[in-house]
Amino acid sequence: MSTRILTGITTTGTPHLGNYAGAIRPAIAASHADNVESFYFLADYHALIKCDDPARIQRSRLEIAATWLAGGLDTERATFYRQSDIPEIPELTWMLTCVAAKGLLNRAHAYKASVEQNEAAGLDADAGITMGLFSYPVLMAADILIFNAHKVPVGRDQIQHVEMARDIGQRFNHLFGQGRELFTLPEAVIEDDVATLPGLDGRKMSKSYDNTIPLFSSSKELKSAISRIVTDSKLPGEAKDPDSSHLYTLYQAFSNRTEQAAMRADLEAGLAWGDAKQRLFTLLDEQLAEPRERYHALMAKPSELEDILQAGAVKARKVAEPFLQQLRESMGLRSFAVQGADLTAGKKKAKKTSRVVSFRDDEGFRFRILNSKGEDLLLSKAFADGRAAGMATKHLQTAQDALDVRQVEQQLSIWLDDDCIAQSPKYATDAACDAALAELRSALNSDAAD
Ligand code: TRP
């Protein structure tokens, strides 16, 4: 079976060198591997969350589409589309919204950061926060789950969202899968060595730091940006340390081993920063010349880009449409005309899969959660009294997706208000630990449903 890779880029800005080297170029390279199917898209519904300038959204969609194609994406091989051309995505978003725990979304970093900013400024906690921002991870879960992606290459800031997609997908499987995995549970993939290209000042290259190097602007603009790269004040002839120089990091991201070794040796031998910048410029200018030309040719013919994206949407919907139909049916949105539809069969009562055992030892009141085979899934801490232990048990059984489960090495722990209230045994392998987590979630969810 092939591996499905999926990633999207929010269409709010003009792609810079960091977006290209960190996200677009590696994704294009990955799409050439055997046994992969890639789904790459313009996250233009996500763009609406951050931006209310229609002209900017439209320009950005065009620029980002042209960048993928100029970078050599083969749209015969990969499925390349705009999110807003796939109506199955917002449909699934609603279905998932009805399954996602609000408590889970309360914990999303982007939303939490906005609330904290408001509070720090003495404003109402939700001032200026739209439902779009709050529900952003559900839309992202729909993007990922509708194509049953296995791997989702993202930046560090997006890992939590992919994990939420897993949680939501798992819950949907549990509720509506009748024992089958309707959704594949996705995994975030972080490419650390390329993902964080430094900008002019050495911090991560990002529009919000105003430290970006343009991608497909003129050679002159490229040169001027490179001249602004911050270096230390070592004079020509003085030895430079390549490893503490982000100019070298940038050079590395675009050069082969031989070029890297030569640059390293020359810096150590005292190459002037001015000359090093010239070398970086020559390298980038040469490498970007061809895609730059393709980019401008594409930008000049938006209707060709439109055709390519329309064809991509057709291809994507061939997958999404029948799958969404199956999902609708799993939730009870079925045709009345289908013969033999069993309208009377209710939801089968889930077999109890777990047991809670309360007990008391020298340190206080505790409980265990056992699986159907009687093996320990969790052991609680010692509570001062039976009531506190009872409340913790109740929390476990009702928190559902808002349950704060953490994993350190191969051990799970459950947290409530910054307090570790229960721990699993230490498992020997990651797989055993993952299986225990799935077992625990399904045990707790079915308890709550009973
Ligand atoms: N939220 C992502 C970002 O801002 C973009 C995105 C939207 C995405 N949907 C996705 C990334 C699905 C991966 C998979 O970077």
Side-chain angles (χ1 to χ4, degrees):
M1 208 186 84
S2 61
T3 303
R4 239 162 288 128
I5 309 180
L6 176 144
T7 196
I9 296 183
T10 305
T11 55
T12 43
T14 299
H16 54 66
L17 197 70
N19 304 133
Y20 183 67
I24 298 176
R25 204 179 50 171
I28 294 173
S31 73
H32 294 303
D34 289 334
N35 274 324
V36 292
E37 282 175 77
S38 22
F39 291 81
Y40 297 149
F41 68 98
L42 309 175
D44 49 1
Y45 277 144
H46 276 98
L48 301 180
I49 296 169
K50 296 197 229 169
C51 174
D52 56 10
D53 174 356
R56 174 148 162 233
I57 300 240
Q58 179 67 338
R59 185 170 6 97
S60 173
R61 292 158 95 223
L62 190 64
E63 288 172 344
I64 295 178
T67 303
W68 278 99
L69 297 173
L73 181 69
D74 175 355
T75 54
E76 296 295 316
R77 242 187 119 81
T79 305
F80 182 56
Y81 54 97
R82 283 180 296 221
Q83 187 184 31
S84 63
D85 286 334
I86 316 295
E88 289 76 13
I89 293 173
E91 281 193 57
L92 178 58
T93 301
W94 180 251
M95 288 152 67
L96 298 178
T97 300
C98 296
V99 166
K102 176 167 179 287
L104 178 77
L105 295 169
N106 284 341
R107 290 211 305 273
H109 299 316
Y111 168 70
K112 261 177 47 179
S114 302
V115 169
E116 278 159 21
Q117 262 180 26
N118 280 337
E119 281 169 349
L123 298 169
D124 181 82
D126 280 328
I129 298 178
T130 62
M131 283 306 294
L133 176 66
F134 184 70
S135 309
Y136 173 115
V138 188
L139 176 59
M140 184 155 157
D143 290 333
I144 298 171
L145 297 174
I146 191 78
F147 295 112
N148 278 314
H150 299 102
K151 301 212 176 287
V152 183
V154 284
R156 294 212 157 271
D157 58 327
Q158 299 291 319
I159 299 177
Q160 188 196 32
H161 296 148
V162 180
E163 281 172 2
M164 288 183 168
R166 271 183 87 87
D167 272 12
I168 297 169
Q170 193 166 44
R171 185 155 163 72
F172 194 100
N173 285 346
H174 176 72
L175 289 170
F176 303 112
Q178 301 197 304
R180 276 176 320 149
E181 297 274 291
L182 284 166
F183 289 127
T184 302
L185 301 182
E187 244 175 74
V189 184
I190 309 293
E191 294 198 53
D192 255 342
D193 47 337
V194 287
T196 42
L197 204 65
L200 299 175
D201 56 359
R203 292 184 293 173
K204 178 186 161 157
M205 192 183 295
S206 161
K207 203 171 37 174
S208 41
Y209 294 147
D210 195 20
N211 66 356
T212 62
I213 298 179
L215 181 56
F216 295 138
S217 56
S218 64
S219 297
K220 199 165 151 240
E221 284 168 284
L222 179 63
K223 191 167 198 147
S224 134
I226 289 175
S227 73
R228 282 179 281 124
I229 294 176
V230 178
T231 61
D232 63 26
S233 53
K234 294 225 166 68
L235 298 172
E238 272 187 87
K240 323 267 184 315
D241 174 19
D243 296 315
S244 61
S245 153
H246 54 276
L247 189 149
Y248 181 70
T249 311
L250 285 161
Y251 188 87
Q252 245 179 339
F254 291 87
S255 53
N256 62 34
R257 283 181 194 283
T258 321
E259 290 165 329
Q260 287 167 21
M263 179 70 143
R264 171 176 285 277
D266 291 346
L267 282 171
E268 283 166 350
L271 183 72
W273 286 125
D275 295 337
K277 287 181 177 178
Q278 178 59 39
R279 254 195 229 185
L280 175 62
F281 167 71
T282 309
L283 177 80
L284 285 174
D285 199 45
E286 273 174 20
Q287 270 192 36
L288 296 177
E290 228 182 274
R292 184 194 288 143
E293 209 170 294
R294 279 200 295 261
Y295 176 84
H296 291 294
L298 287 160
M299 288 296 285
K301 293 187 211 126
S303 68
E304 274 179 29
L305 275 169
E306 181 65 33
D307 292 344
I308 292 173
L309 287 163
Q310 290 294 346
V314 169
K315 204 161 139 189
R317 293 192 67 198
K318 280 213 173 87
V319 181
E321 217 181 333
F323 186 41
L324 187 80
Q325 191 51 36
Q326 188 191 348
L327 296 169
R328 290 168 62 93
E329 288 178 12
S330 77
M331 295 184 94
L333 306 174
R334 299 177 203 137
S335 161
F336 291 156
V338 177
Q339 287 293 310
D342 185 355
L343 299 176
T344 51
K347 191 167 142 189
K348 276 200 221 97
K349 197 155 172 64
K351 205 166 112 252
K352 237 197 169 17
T353 49
S354 71
R355 214 151 37 97
V356 183
V357 181
S358 308
F359 62 100
R360 192 179 173 172
D361 63 14
D362 293 344
E363 289 166 71
F365 292 78
R366 295 184 193 263
F367 59 87
R368 286 179 196 284
I369 296 193
L370 308 175
N371 69 10
S372 56
K373 290 180 235 145
E375 298 160 338
D376 266 1
L377 286 173
L378 288 179
L379 170 63
S380 81
K381 69 166 195 173
F383 292 90
D385 54 60
R387 200 174 147 262
M391 274 166 52
T393 323
K394 183 96 197 135
H395 171 72
L396 279 172
Q397 288 170 327
T398 53
Q400 307 244 338
D401 289 348
L403 195 64
D404 185 358
V405 183
R406 303 184 194 175
Q407 182 177 345
V408 176
E409 287 171 359
Q410 284 128 2
Q411 184 175 32
L412 305 170
S413 54
I414 310 284
W415 293 71
L416 175 60
D417 301 331
D418 289 329
D419 187 21
C420 174
I421 56 170
Q423 281 184 302
S424 75
K426 289 200 172 95
Y427 296 98
T429 61
D430 285 336
C433 189
D434 287 350
L437 178 59
E439 200 172 16
L440 181 66
R441 286 219 184 266
S442 110
L444 294 174
N445 287 347
S446 69
D447 275 356
D450 282 347

